[in-house]
Amino acid sequence: MEKRVEKGRTRTSRDNRGFTLFELMVVILLLGFISLLTFPNFRELLEPRDAKKTVLRMVGSMRYAQSQAATTKQRFRLNVDLKENAYWISRQGDKDSFLRDPSPMGNATYLPTGVSFLDVTHPERGKMREGIAYVEFSPTGWADECEIHLGRGEDVFTLFVHPLGGKTEVVAGYVERKSS
């Protein structure tokens, strides 16, 4: 083996060869453990929680409709198109007609691919699985009592709209309240 002397140190040509197989295996093993620990986070990036996000957006739309009804003294509706899996806000027009709200909330918001409305249950109109259902918010703070079921596969949520104040309660799973 060839030896070189550099400023008081003796080095062999073997020192310049790079990493050993053992060092590379240790690094790969550590990277494997790190990726196992972070895999659930990567999975959520690849497969976002669409149903949860959709539920939160819908609740926000209902709060908007409720607050607009109170401030403008007009009736507002959250319209749900069960076939197209879309929803939008409309406001009271002349007499009993309803027009799309001029804000961005009046544009149809489509559910992400794979997420769909299962049904909308209203005490007076019954359970709807097709067509357009709605939840009405009055200027006095009242709202239509109803249940909205939506989800993706086994990731299902139930939205309960309470009549007094229009508060929306979100429950995981397909839940039906018994009417009394």
Side-chain angles (χ1 to χ4, degrees), residues 48-100:
R49 306 298 295 189
D50 291 334
K52 271 187 183 177
K53 289 180 183 178
T54 301
V55 167
L56 293 175
R57 284 188 195 116
M58 274 195 74
V59 169
S61 295
M62 286 190 250
R63 286 183 182 155
Y64 170 81
Q66 179 189 13
S67 67
Q68 288 298 98
T71 56
T72 64
K73 303 297 181 204
Q74 291 180 309
R75 291 184 297 158
F76 274 71
R77 285 183 178 173
L78 171 78
N79 302 281
V80 177
D81 188 333
L82 295 159
K83 181 181 178 186
E84 296 295 323
N85 287 317
Y87 63 93
W88 65 92
I89 301 294
S90 59
R91 66 173 51 207
Q92 183 179 13
D94 296 336
K95 297 184 182 180
D96 283 334
S97 67
F98 280 79
L99 309 168
R100 285 189 186 244

Side-chain angles (χ1 to χ4, degrees), residues 118-132:
L118 305 174
D119 58 53
V120 176
T121 305
H122 188 276
E124 295 167 9
R125 295 185 289 273
K127 184 179 284 194
M128 294 183 65
R129 291 195 170 105
E130 55 186 31
I132 297 177

